[in-house]
Amino acid sequence: HRHLLGIEGLSPLDIKALLDLADEKVEVSRQVEKKKTTLRGRTQINLFFEPSTRTQSSFEIAGKRLGADVMNMSVASSSVKKGETLIDTAATLNAMRPDLIIVRHHAAGAVHLLAQKVDCSVVNAGDGAHEHPTQALLDALTIRRNKGRIAGLTVAICGDILHSRVARSNMILLAAMGAHVRLVAPSTLLPPGIERLGFEMHRDMKTGLKDADIVMMLRLQRERMNGSFVPSVKEYFRFYGLDQEKLNYAKPDALVMHPGPMNRGVEISSEVADGAQSLIREQVEMGVAVRMAVLEALASHLPNR
Ligand code: CP
C-alpha cells in the first residue's frame, strides 16, 4: 500500500503485520537511545485542519524516532484562513517535495481526495466521521498486548457512535480480526441504517456490558451536534456514563479504553478513567509505536527522488 487512508482495504494479514511491527517499536521506544534511520533524509508534513493532542504529537515523535525531518503545518496561521482550498494547499505543499503527508480534516473523504492530488504517501489522521485508522490500530495493539489475542473477545463500543470515526475504524478492524463487537448507544447517537451491518446492538449499558472483555468508551462530540439533538450532560452520564457500578456488569477482568480526549463526568467517571481497569494511558504509549510501524511500512513506497 502506498497510503493508509482507512482500515477498510486492509486484510487481516496486513493488520497483523502492522501490529507485529508495532510491538517491535514499543521496545525501541522504551530504550534510552530511541532514534533509528529508516526515514533519514525523508520529509514528513503534519497537516491538521482539526485540533489534536495525541495524534499530531505522536506522529511527530514517531517520524523523528525514525529519522525523518518533520514539519508541523500550522493551519490556524496559514493561507487556509485567507480562503485557500484544501486542494490548492495540498498542491502547494506537494511542490515542496515531501515524502509523507499526515492529514486530519473535518470532512469525510477529504483525505482520499488529497491523496489523489499529491505524489507522496498520505496517512489519514481522522477525516470527519469516516475513519481514524491509526487509532483503531493502536487500540488493537493495546488489546492484544493485554489479552493476548483479539479473536473471540467481546468488545462493547459505547456512546456517541454517530459522530465517531474511531468507532467506525474499530468496528471494521475488530470484526476483521474475529472479535464480537457490540454497539451500545441511544438510538439518537447511532448512524441511520447501522443495523444493516449486523453488529449486536444495545440501548442499555446493563445488557450491553454483560460479559464484555473490553469496554470502549467514546467522547460525546457536542461540537458536531449543531442544533440537533444535544443530550443533557447529567442525563447522559446517568444512562450512558461509565462509572464503577456500570463497569461491574462486564467481566471482572474487563478493561476500559477511551481514545481521548475524555470528558470526565460526561461519558466516563474519573474513578474508572484513573482506575485499575483503565488502559487509557497505555493507549497513548501504543499510539507512538503504531505510528512508527505505519510510517516504516510505507517507507518502501515513498517517492524515489
Ligand atoms: N484520539 C485522538 O485522536 O486524540 P486527538 O484528537 O488528541 O489527536
Side-chain angles (χ1 to χ4, degrees):
H1 301 271
R2 185 175 144 214
H3 306 298
L4 176 65
L5 302 179
I7 297 298
E8 206 157 32
L10 295 186
S11 69
L13 276 179
D14 292 331
I15 294 166
K16 184 179 178 301
L18 284 170
L19 299 183
D20 291 347
L21 190 56
D23 268 327
E24 291 173 24
K25 301 305 170 202
V26 175
E27 299 314 313
V28 169
S29 295
R30 288 178 178 177
Q31 289 164 10
V32 175
E33 173 57 59
K34 300 173 177 64
K35 194 132 175 163
K36 301 290 164 200
T37 55
T38 323
L39 294 181
R40 188 162 61 192
R42 298 296 194 170
T43 302
Q44 172 186 329
I45 297 179
N46 292 340
L47 178 61
F48 279 59
F49 291 87
E50 278 192 329
S52 170
T53 295
R54 281 145 285 268
T55 312
Q56 184 167 344
S57 56
S58 59
F59 265 116
E60 180 176 358
I61 290 172
K64 286 179 171 167
R65 281 192 187 157
L66 294 173
D69 295 311
V70 184
M71 189 273 264
N72 285 300
M73 179 74 200
S74 172
V75 171
S77 59
S78 74
S79 288
V80 169
K81 295 290 155 196
K82 302 177 201 160
E84 193 162 34
T85 65
L86 169 69
I87 297 308
D88 285 337
T89 304
T92 301
L93 294 174
N94 189 53
M96 299 180 196
R97 296 183 173 270
D99 299 288
L100 286 146
I101 304 185
I102 318 299
V103 190
R104 170 171 286 189
H105 197 275
H106 45 82
V111 183
H112 281 72
L113 186 66
L114 188 144
Q116 289 164 17
K117 307 287 178 188
V118 297
D119 306 317
C120 62
S121 289
V122 173
V123 180
N124 184 356
D127 64 326
H130 179 230
E131 279 231 42
H132 190 351
T134 55
Q135 179 70 44
L137 288 164
L138 79 86
D139 289 340
L141 182 67
T142 310
I143 293 171
R144 200 177 74 165
R145 288 173 68 92
N146 281 275
K147 294 288 186 187
R149 66 196 167 105
I150 296 171
L153 296 178
T154 298
V155 182
I157 303 179
C158 311
D160 186 358
I161 293 166
L162 175 64
H163 299 102
S164 181
R165 54 198 176 206
V166 174
R168 208 182 123 72
S169 290
N170 265 305
M171 284 154 56
I172 301 168
L173 186 152
L174 292 167
M177 300 306 277
H180 303 298
V181 178
R182 283 185 195 159
L183 307 179
V184 189
S187 47
T188 44
L189 291 179
L190 284 168
I194 194 161
E195 54 291 336
R196 286 200 297 272
L197 298 180
F199 292 104
E200 200 185 308
M201 316 250 289
H202 294 266
R203 302 275 180 270
D204 183 87
M205 290 286 271
K206 190 168 184 174
T207 58
L209 267 52
K210 188 174 175 343
D211 296 330
D213 296 287
I214 300 287
V215 182
M216 188 179 281
M217 300 308 297
L218 300 170
R219 182 171 67 86
L220 190 65
Q221 299 193 29
R222 280 172 291 179
E223 79 278 15
R224 298 196 206 269
M225 299 176 188
N226 41 5
S228 58
F229 169 75
V230 185
S232 107
V233 163
K234 217 171 135 192
E235 284 276 285
Y236 188 79
F237 185 75
R238 187 164 145 231
F239 290 105
Y240 292 99
L242 187 67
D243 55 13
Q244 193 60 49
E245 197 184 325
K246 294 194 193 78
L247 180 55
N248 290 342
Y249 300 140
K251 281 189 181 162
D253 62 350
L255 296 171
V256 175
M257 304 177 75
H258 191 304
M262 280 185 283
N263 285 316
R264 290 170 182 264
V266 180
E267 69 267 354
I268 193 165
S269 71
S270 281
E271 183 193 17
V272 169
D274 304 327
Q277 288 168 272
S278 172
L279 294 176
I280 296 169
R281 293 283 166 269
E282 192 174 327
Q283 285 173 268
V284 177
E285 181 185 3
M286 295 308 121
V288 176
V290 151
R291 285 159 186 137
M292 287 174 78
V294 165
L295 297 176
E296 190 166 296
L298 293 174
S300 58
H301 301 278
L302 299 182
N304 196 7
R305 59 185 184 211

